[in-house]
Structures are given as C-alpha cells and as structure tokens.
Amino acid sequence: MLLVSIAAFSQDRPKLVVGIAVDQMRWDYLYRFYDEYGNGGFKRLMNEGFNCENCQINYIPSVTAIGHSSIFTGSVPSIHGIAGNNFLIDGKMTYCCDDNTVQTVGSDTKAGLMSPRNLLATTIGDELKTATNWESKVIGVSFKDRAAILPAGHSADAAYWFDKKAFCFISSTYYMQELPKWVKTYNDRIGREIKQLEKKNKDASLIDLIQYEPYGNEITVGMAKAAVRNERLGQGKQTDMLTLSFSCPDITGHKYGTHHEKTHAQYVELDKQLADFFSFLDSEIGKGNYLVFLSADHGAANGILQNQKHKIPSGPFYGNQEIRDLNTMLEEKFGAARLARRIMDYKVVLDRENIAKAGADINKVKEAIIAYYKPRKEVAYCFDLEKINDASVPAIIREKAVNGYNPQRSGDIQIILKPAYYGVGDEIDEGTTHGCWNPYDCHIPFLLMGWGVPHGSTQAECHITDIAATVCALIHVQMPNGCIGKAVTQVTK
C-alpha cells in the first residue's frame, strides 16, 4: 500500500486540468474575429500555448453529443457508443444521456433524469481518477446536459447543467442526493439576476434572453469559477479536472447562422469571458500550474441563402418531407406502410418489424432506398452501412462513415449530400446546422496552454480523437480505454 501511495503522489502533473469545448466553433473563427479579440482569451491560447491548426473530426455525424464524447474519450461512435444526440438502444430511440433510474437534483422538473451510462468508454477524467486511486476530483459544467455529463465521464464527482424551465443549475442522483450549498447559493444569485433581466425585457422570451445573449455563457463561466473555488479544485495533493462547455454559440448559430452579427458579437464577448476565466485561474491556481485545452464538438455550414446569394452551389435536404416521400415510394413498391422509421443524422433507420410483417426482403428494401437516392441532385453518395466496404466512395468518407457507425445504435442507409447541402426542417432560414463530413463541419480548433505545453503551432493533420491521447500523455496517465488517437508529439516531446 505504501508503494502505491508513493507512486500516486510522485508523478509530475499540473494541479488542475481544464478541458474546454466551444459548441459549434468553426476553426476559422479564431481568425475571422482575431482583430477584435483581446490579448487574454483566444489570443493568449494562440500566442502563449500550442495551436494544432489542422484538427479534423474523423467520423460522421458531426454533432454535439458525439463531439463532446470523442474529445474526452479519444474514441469514435463505433466504439464509445454515443452515435448521435439521439440513437437506438434495443431498437428504441433514446436521448444520449437519458436515464430513468435517476432523479433530478435541484429542481422539480425531469431535466435531471440524466447520466453518462450510455457512454461505453472511459474519459480523461475517469483515467485521471484511476491513476490517482480516485483521489482526484472531476467536475463537469455546461449549459447543456450532454455537454456537462459526457465529458466528465462515469466516475465524475459531479456534473451540472442548466434547467431551462427552472432557470437554475441542476444535477442528478447519479452523482449526489442534494446540491451542495455553494450551488444553491449560486443559483440564488443568478435567480435574482434573471428576474432583473425579465423586468428589463418584458416582451422577450426569458430563455432566449439567456441563451442568445452573453448571459448564458456568463453564468456558465460563473458556475465553473464557483466549482473551482468551492470544491478547491487544484488545491489538493492530486491533480483535479474541470470540464467546461459553452453551449450558447451553438444555439445562436442554429438560429442566426455563421455570419450574423449575433454570432460575431457572441464570440467577441466569449473571448472576454475566457480572458476573465484564465485570469481567475492564474489567481486561484497559479499561472503555469494548470493545463488548459480548448476545442469544439463540431463546426457549422455557411447558410444556404448566403451561399446562393454569392453564387456558391448550395441547397436543402428537407428532412420532414423526405421521410414522408420515402415511405410513399416504399409502400408503392412493397405494399406496406412505414418501412422506414426516420432519417436520423443523414441515415435512414428501417422499421425492421414492419418489414418483417410485410414479408419483404430487407435487402431489397435497402436496394430500393439506395436506388431512390442515388440520382437525386443534392445527393453525392448513398450506401448500405452493413456493406460499407463495397461502396464506391472516397476513402476519407468511408473512414468517417465506418468510425461513426455503431451497428447496435445507428441507422441502416447512409446518405452523403453534396458540399454545402444540408438538412433543414420545412423551410430554409438564415440559421445553419452541422453533421456532415465536410471541412466546415469537421475542421475544429485544438489549442493547449499552460503546464508542460511548449509555445508553437503545427499544420500537421490531427484528429479530434488525438486530443485525449495528447492530454493523457502530458499528464502521464493511461489514455481512455476506447481511445484510438495518438498524442501530438510536437506538444508532448
């Protein structure tokens, strides 16, 4: 036991590891708004730390739950099991963090019926706790539940997210039976602030005021600071970890798009909030005593209307109408209704039960769907995910599809759209989305700063799955158990 104790305490590690994800942050936002950034936020990461300029997502679909899982597990959906924001478990559509065995802690809503149990791999935090005989503390904070829960991992001490109905930070009984006193105190404070917001903006939606304006990110930073201070993160004998995700840029981007003034303003403000947070860490932990890394779960496409205005080929894939039209075609061909359940993340999900009842050959149904989509003007490729190695597609697309395909949880037929085409509901608006293989969705920032990090940059390609491997190499812990990434040696040498 003495040998274990000596080994655990003798490692050269930072006092605190802070992993930051900015939801829907395209890599080029580092440069588009560079001249308006101050010196303490994004520029500090770039000018003091190490910048991996060519970090790519190596799977599809490029969506929030997968991105946060992949950053912190170093793995892909086929292994870590988070196959989308929603996916199949035992044939039932399931939200990524749904867990009906737990209860909400901190409010009377159902927003806390969440846990990381659907995640099949460990995270950086899990491995850090294992390496230190579970003496390290790991806490996740975000506006979105999945962005707090999945990065923090299975053995986290806590994860906190914002309840949009109760207007406070909550957790679940997976982690605790009652909110700590400091969380209640913080919730009381933001409750007073939210009431003032409401008084000043009587005609506006309260949740919109929070999530589309700087306030949503502001209270997220405030919660992270409160966690560091009150849980004394970085003040113990072992290295602790905080995972922090900024969700509001994604919410804003979906509604307003990549070039709207609200998106622009939010990043300029986020830069100030990051600068404030890094200054806080300098004061609380000590400059050079903490390791921070920043990335994104995915990027975003430039808007269809914007593209078309500037003569860039672009167009919609009307998801709601598509599933109706697809089922109409299948019914005409096979004489049975609803043979396809839905189109999920550009994958057709078959209704195997209805296909069996109709006495149809599932392979013939698949062939009919592929034949239906291949000639479409907005479709580049369409193939059976069970026969992906037979598909005539570029190697990069094949690799991303293989990595993103979990046979027990994903759909059946993969649709690959042409560049700048993406899914919309019933009409095109100024907003945007993500989920495809293309660089606008998959080229993400990856910056590190602080303890053990040299100053520099590289244009060498790396992947989202390399982030966990790099961080684990720096802090001398085993990489997560599903990790397929490799450490960026320019950082770790």
Side-chain angles (χ1 to χ4, degrees):
M1 187 67 183
L2 178 60
L3 291 175
V4 171
S5 178
I6 291 172
F9 284 91
S10 63
Q11 294 297 329
D12 186 20
R13 297 189 177 114
K15 291 182 177 180
L16 179 66
V17 178
V18 181
I20 300 174
V22 182
D23 204 323
Q24 203 184 118
M25 183 176 178
R26 292 167 52 116
W27 162 83
D28 61 344
Y29 288 169
L30 288 174
Y31 297 97
R32 190 188 303 174
F33 312 128
Y34 185 86
D35 290 344
E36 296 178 72
Y37 293 151
N39 292 322
F42 290 117
K43 281 185 178 178
R44 180 174 172 187
L45 286 166
M46 298 167 76
N47 296 333
E48 289 186 19
F50 197 93
N51 187 356
C52 297
E53 295 270 19
N54 192 15
C55 187
Q56 302 283 339
I57 292 174
N58 54 347
Y59 54 78
I60 47 176
S62 45
V63 297
T64 298
I66 303 178
H68 282 84
S69 299
S70 295
I71 289 170
F72 289 90
T73 65
S75 194
V76 291
S78 63
I79 297 171
H80 64 53
I82 302 300
N85 292 334
N86 299 277
F87 47 84
L88 299 167
I89 294 185
D90 299 327
K92 180 182 177 183
M93 288 304 304
T94 305
Y95 177 65
C96 57
C97 293
D98 270 354
D99 187 347
N100 60 13
T101 70
V102 300
Q103 299 297 319
T104 303
V105 174
S107 78
D108 295 327
T109 76
K110 294 183 179 181
L113 275 63
M114 306 282 173
S115 84
R117 287 193 172 109
N118 294 329
L119 179 65
L120 304 179
T122 59
T123 62
I124 300 169
D126 290 326
E127 296 299 332
L128 175 62
K129 288 182 76 76
T130 302
T132 62
N133 294 312
W134 294 273
E135 293 180 9
S136 295
K137 281 187 178 181
V138 176
I139 293 176
V141 173
S142 181
F143 198 79
K144 289 182 182 177
D145 49 55
R146 56 188 180 270
I149 293 167
L150 297 170
H154 300 275
S155 59
D157 297 272
Y160 301 105
W161 56 96
F162 194 76
D163 187 329
K164 292 184 180 182
K165 292 183 178 178
F167 298 105
C168 62
F169 280 92
I170 61 169
S171 191
S172 91
T173 52
Y174 178 89
Y175 306 99
M176 64 194 72
Q177 296 302 310
E178 185 178 5
L179 290 180
K181 184 178 178 181
W182 67 264
V183 178
K184 294 178 182 178
T185 300
Y186 185 69
N187 278 336
D188 288 343
R189 192 192 103 189
I190 63 175
R192 293 190 295 270
E193 292 175 359
I194 288 170
K195 285 182 180 178
Q196 292 301 314
L197 269 180
E198 193 172 22
K199 286 180 181 179
K200 292 178 182 178
N201 303 272
K202 292 182 179 180
D203 296 329
S205 160
L206 186 53
I207 191 60
D208 284 355
L209 285 171
I210 295 170
Q211 63 190 11
Y212 294 128
E213 303 299 333
Y215 187 69
N217 288 334
E218 182 182 318
I219 60 175
T220 303
V221 171
M223 185 66 178
K225 287 182 178 179
V228 169
R229 184 173 286 129
N230 289 281
E231 296 291 346
R232 295 186 56 77
L233 299 182
Q235 304 296 332
K237 294 180 179 179
Q238 298 291 358
T239 300
D240 297 321
M241 184 169 188
L242 173 73
T243 70
L244 171 62
S245 179
F246 293 98
S247 305
C248 296
D250 180 73
I251 300 168
T252 300
H254 276 294
K255 183 170 182 177
Y256 296 106
T258 59
H259 282 70
H260 196 279
E261 178 54 33
K262 281 190 176 290
T263 298
H264 171 195
Q266 191 162 83
Y267 275 90
V268 172
E269 191 63 31
L270 176 58
D271 177 67
K272 297 175 184 175
Q273 292 160 340
L274 285 171
D276 175 66
F277 185 57
F278 296 154
S279 178
F280 166 82
L281 292 176
D282 290 343
S283 175
E284 290 288 319
I285 311 300
K287 188 175 181 179
N289 289 331
Y290 62 90
L291 166 65
V292 61
F293 63 95
L294 181 145
S295 189
D297 52 349
H298 54 75
N302 289 322
I304 292 169
L305 298 178
Q306 172 189 307
N307 284 334
Q308 292 176 345
K309 178 181 177 182
H310 296 282
K311 302 179 183 180
I312 296 172
S314 188
F317 183 80
Y318 293 105
N320 295 339
Q321 186 62 42
E322 282 296 332
I323 190 62
R324 293 192 290 267
D325 291 347
L326 177 61
N327 272 320
T328 297
M329 181 277 292
L330 292 173
E331 186 170 3
E332 290 173 355
K333 192 171 184 66
F334 295 97
R338 200 177 173 274
L339 298 188
R341 293 175 62 177
R342 66 181 63 210
I343 298 175
M344 174 183 70
D345 296 325
Y346 307 102
K347 295 181 179 72
V348 178
V349 181
L350 298 179
D351 193 320
R352 294 170 181 267
E353 186 176 336
N354 280 356
I355 291 170
K357 284 180 181 177
D361 182 334
I362 192 168
N363 289 317
K364 296 295 183 184
V365 174
K366 288 181 177 181
E367 289 171 6
I369 294 171
I370 293 169
Y372 175 75
Y373 277 113
K374 271 192 172 181
R376 295 278 292 275
K377 69 174 185 178
E378 68 270 37
V379 175
Y381 308 100
C382 185
F383 50 86
D384 182 349
L385 282 162
E386 288 187 337
K387 300 176 181 178
I388 191 169
N389 288 324
D390 298 330
S392 297
V393 298
I396 188 172
I397 294 176
R398 180 183 291 109
E399 179 185 1
K400 290 188 178 191
V402 168
N403 285 343
Y405 175 53
N406 187 291
Q408 289 78 41
R409 296 186 172 190
S410 298
D412 301 281
I413 303 293
Q414 180 72 61
I415 300 167
I416 303 293
L417 300 180
K418 291 178 180 176
Y421 283 76
Y422 58 78
V424 300
D426 295 314
E427 60 183 22
I428 306 170
D429 58 25
E430 66 179 343
T432 189
T433 191
H434 48 85
C436 298
W437 70 271
N438 310 75
Y440 45 75
D441 282 350
C442 290
H443 189 184
I444 55 174
F446 174 30
L447 303 109
L448 307 98
M449 182 183 75
W451 187 93
V453 177
H455 173 54
S457 67
T458 179
Q459 289 288 345
E461 182 175 342
C462 67
H463 301 113
I464 191 171
T465 48
D466 297 329
I467 296 172
T470 303
V471 173
C472 287
L474 281 170
I475 64 174
H476 309 298
V477 302
Q478 181 61 275
M479 64 182 68
N481 61 17
C483 183
I484 65 168
K486 297 179 180 179
V488 177
T489 55
Q490 295 96 323
V491 179
T492 60
K493 65 183 178 181

